Amino acid sequence: MTREYDYLVIGSGIAGMSFALKVAGAGARVALVCKTTLDEANTALAQGGVASVTDMEVDDFDKHIHDTMVAGDWLSDPEAVRKVVTEAPAQIRQLIEWGVDFDKKEDGSFDLHREGGHSEFRILHHADNTGFEIQQSLIKAVRAHKDIDVFENHFAIEIITQHHLGKIVTRRTPDITCYGAYILTPEGRVDTFLSRVTLMATGGVGAVYQTTTNPLVATGDGIAMVYRAKGTVKDMEFIQFHPTALFHPGDRPSFLITEAMRGYGAMLRNLDGERFMGKYDDRMELAPRDVVARAIDSEMKLHGDDHVFLDVTHKDPEETRRHFPNIYQKCLSLGIDITKDYIPVAPAAHYLCGGIAVDTNGESTIKHLYAVGECSCTGLHGGNRLASNSLIEAVVYADAAARHARSAISHIDLRTDVPQWNDEGTTHPEEMVLITQSIREVNQIMGAYVGIVRSNLRLDRAWNRLDILYEETEKLFKCSKASREICELRNIINVGYLIMRQARERHESRGLHFSLDYPKRP
């Protein structure tokens, strides 16, 4: 079956839904495709909040810009940083218009939090489940829009380019163009979605690692599709490990203990009860995430422990319960009263700072293909994302992409001579256990060799092991009918390879990439 749209949006977090809302209408039809349901996205799990300068009496754009550049280890693109910071307030107003309810003080001003790396209180939030509040508000707006068709439980297999028209496409091919995507339906049929403009908003790559705070749908699908289509992907070595995921063996994903808790005054202690951050950084618990994650990793290895503690017991119990109701209830369900007990925590893969390379309009190196949100690399984050900059980046760039796409779409013709997906001669793989086991192997390889601390030897071992899995999986894919399982396996192998390869190419320790072979900057 072939479907035709003006805009095809692949992904349903804050980036995809805000873009869809801004381009729909005035005769334009939008298809919003998500591989599970609208509720299941990284956005919904973002606890901390949204960074934006709102209190001009004590804060300003230059402070936010400087904090972002410092956190990014001066690898951030200054143009991207200024764009996000200066356009943030307008997008906060847009979110409020869509129904997002940020917490306020009794005088009506925003109740702002401060997180690691921020010099001022500038984090807007909704209790400790800001992402969920945003996601639910956008879902209501999307479902109410008559010009947005939502396709839940639909899986994007490949974007369509000249390659599918029988032409040879390489990374040097000029003007590679996207015409839509092949989409796997819940019935197992592969439909052809043709579009004038396609937006990739597929989120991050956390599920490439065994220990992650991401929903397990975060398998890097959009990045892998764009890489296979010969688009540019960059900065994949910069994987942010959140320092404080709740340590509870068996949980996948791990429950996130927001950075706002450290901004609130929580202290990190080792299992002997000793506060240790002073050994690693003068900023203590409010140092950027990469510093804190490496400090915890070092402390755990030093003592042979599998976790440390986060201590908030010295704070007012009622205030703690009010600020962090969901964390309080989650921990209480495990027998931990955070007002009296230390919280066991350990680092977990959390956020990708790299991804599909885009310009200031959110357009990738493939024509008519935009990328927004965590799957994109705008240059904002550089070597390390400043806390709570991700949600605001998503809406600022979704707005930029929407404005650019609306202005360009009248000059883009719908390509209709695209062939249907060809699965002739394929069968359903009987050995599904091979796919499941291969995913586990990728998770183990990435955790062991491409984690918080790396080395050339570890990366070489990752290369050799991933190469074997790649060859086996490509053979299986060519003879198998398309399924979500085999496609996700392909994608996490592609993404794991990109993280590992680009880590090998960076001969320095910078930002989130720390190598034992290059412990100091040249």
Side-chain angles (χ1 to χ4, degrees):
M1 179 184 293
T2 298
R3 300 178 183 273
E4 298 179 359
Y5 285 91
D6 297 295
Y7 300 93
L8 170 61
V9 179
I10 304 174
S12 60
I14 186 174
M17 286 198 289
S18 59
F19 176 89
L21 287 167
K22 291 187 175 187
V23 297
R29 298 290 300 172
V30 180
L32 180 63
V33 171
C34 62
K35 69 179 185 180
T36 53
T37 65
L38 292 183
D39 300 274
E40 192 170 3
N42 255 356
T43 298
L45 299 182
Q47 293 176 347
V50 186
S52 176
V53 175
T54 55
D55 186 353
M56 291 295 186
E57 291 185 6
V58 297
D59 200 5
D60 59 48
F61 292 148
D62 286 341
K63 288 181 181 179
H64 192 178
I65 288 169
H66 183 263
D67 292 344
T68 301
M69 295 298 297
V70 169
D73 211 352
W74 301 98
L75 287 172
S76 300
D77 179 350
E79 184 180 7
V81 175
R82 181 162 293 277
K83 175 183 179 64
V84 171
V85 169
T86 58
E87 295 180 21
Q91 295 310 310
I92 292 295
R93 291 192 291 272
Q94 176 70 83
L95 288 173
I96 292 171
E97 288 176 14
W98 282 332
V100 177
D101 181 23
F102 292 113
D103 287 357
K104 293 184 178 180
K105 299 177 182 177
E106 291 182 1
D107 64 3
S109 62
F110 290 119
D111 178 29
L112 301 174
H113 279 175
R114 181 184 172 195
E115 297 181 350
H118 287 273
S119 58
E120 300 291 350
F121 287 77
R122 65 168 71 98
I123 313 302
L124 294 89
H125 64 97
H126 178 89
D128 60 350
N129 63 343
T130 308
F132 181 80
E133 165 69 13
I134 292 172
Q135 188 78 0
Q136 293 305 306
S137 298
L138 292 178
I139 287 173
K140 290 178 184 177
V142 163
R143 291 203 186 280
H145 204 298
K146 63 181 179 61
D147 294 313
I148 300 176
D149 292 342
V150 177
F151 293 88
E152 294 180 299
N153 298 303
H154 282 64
F155 186 93
I157 299 174
E158 298 285 12
I159 60 170
I160 300 168
T161 66
Q162 295 98 313
H163 165 72
H164 298 95
L165 303 177
K167 299 180 181 179
I168 296 175
V169 176
T170 70
R171 299 198 185 280
R172 296 183 179 180
T173 301
D175 296 332
I176 301 174
T177 305
C178 179
Y179 307 117
Y182 290 116
I183 308 290
L184 180 67
T185 71
E187 298 77 28
R189 185 183 67 247
V190 178
D191 286 351
T192 305
F193 279 64
L194 301 178
S195 59
R196 291 180 168 85
V197 166
T198 301
L199 177 85
M200 201 64 75
T202 51
V205 301
V208 173
Y209 290 86
Q210 177 62 32
T211 305
T212 179
T213 62
N214 292 180
L216 301 187
V217 295
T219 49
D221 304 322
I223 295 168
M225 283 187 277
V226 169
Y227 172 71
R228 290 195 294 267
K230 314 305 180 187
T232 299
V233 175
K234 61 180 291 191
D235 292 352
M236 293 292 289
E237 68 271 33
F238 296 126
I239 302 289
Q240 187 174 80
F241 287 79
H242 198 288
T244 55
L246 180 64
F247 178 76
H248 187 247
D251 282 1
R252 191 168 189 259
S254 300
F255 184 80
L256 181 68
I257 306 297
T258 175
E259 186 140 5
M261 187 167 277
R262 280 182 283 128
Y264 170 69
M267 298 179 290
L268 284 163
R269 301 183 183 277
N270 59 30
L271 267 59
D272 293 328
E274 300 167 341
R275 192 177 182 189
F276 59 83
M277 275 305 301
K279 294 190 296 182
Y280 300 95
D281 197 281
D282 291 341
R283 292 164 291 187
M284 304 292 282
E285 283 82 6
L286 290 179
R289 287 179 178 178
D290 61 319
V291 176
V292 180
R294 279 197 298 275
I296 294 173
D297 183 71
S298 174
E299 203 69 15
M300 286 161 52
K301 288 175 179 173
L302 183 66
H303 295 280
D305 299 325
D306 50 13
H307 68 282
V308 295
F309 289 123
L310 192 64
D311 173 17
V312 74
T313 59
H314 57 288
K315 302 292 286 186
D316 177 74
E318 185 57 38
E319 187 180 12
T320 298
R321 285 189 287 266
R322 179 170 60 84
H323 275 297
F324 308 106
N326 293 288
I327 293 174
Y328 176 77
Q329 290 297 331
K330 171 65 177 180
C331 290
L332 200 61
S333 72
L334 301 175
I336 303 165
D337 182 342
I338 66 174
T339 67
K340 302 174 182 177
D341 306 319
Y342 294 167
I343 308 169
V345 295
H350 180 63
Y351 191 85
L352 171 66
C353 292
I356 302 162
V358 298
D359 61 18
T360 53
N361 296 314
E363 192 166 22
S364 74
T365 56
I366 297 176
K367 291 179 66 176
H368 310 156
L369 177 69
Y370 297 77
V372 179
E374 192 174 349
C375 72
S376 71
C377 182
T378 66
L380 172 69
H381 306 305
N384 182 25
R385 175 177 69 98
L386 180 65
S388 290
N389 263 359
S390 53
L391 294 179
I392 197 63
E393 176 199 37
V395 290
V396 166
Y397 269 86
D399 179 69
R403 284 187 279 110
H404 188 265
R406 285 199 309 266
S407 67
I409 199 166
S410 61
H411 306 292
I412 302 173
D413 294 326
L414 195 70
R415 190 80 185 238
T416 57
D417 58 342
V418 175
Q420 298 296 305
W421 179 261
N422 183 8
D423 59 1
E424 185 177 349
T426 60
T427 60
H428 290 290
E430 296 179 5
E431 293 285 358
M432 289 299 293
V433 67
L434 294 179
I435 297 175
T436 303
Q437 182 58 35
S438 294
I439 290 174
R440 289 199 192 102
E441 287 184 50
V442 175
N443 292 157
Q444 292 164 357
I445 290 167
M446 296 302 293
Y449 304 129
V450 202
I452 295 173
V453 176
R454 301 158 182 174
S455 69
N456 289 338
L457 178 61
R458 295 178 193 181
L459 294 173
D460 285 345
R461 288 190 176 182
W463 180 289
N464 293 332
R465 284 154 176 75
L466 279 174
D467 192 52
I468 294 170
L469 287 170
Y470 170 77
E471 294 292 342
E472 292 175 348
T473 300
E474 287 303 303
K475 288 179 183 177
L476 183 62
F477 179 77
K478 288 175 182 176
C479 65
S480 301
K481 287 193 176 295
S483 69
R484 175 176 161 180
E485 292 80 8
I486 186 68
C487 290
E488 285 188 328
L489 173 58
R490 284 185 88 206
N491 292 342
I492 68 167
I493 289 173
N494 285 163
V495 168
Y497 162 78
L498 286 165
I499 297 168
M500 174 271 304
R501 193 194 77 191
Q502 293 183 8
R504 287 179 80 194
E505 292 169 353
R506 183 168 289 279
H507 295 172
E508 62 177 347
S509 286
R510 195 81 179 269
L512 297 164
H513 171 70
F514 185 84
S515 172
L516 295 173
D517 294 291
Y518 312 100
K520 295 181 180 179
R521 293 186 196 173

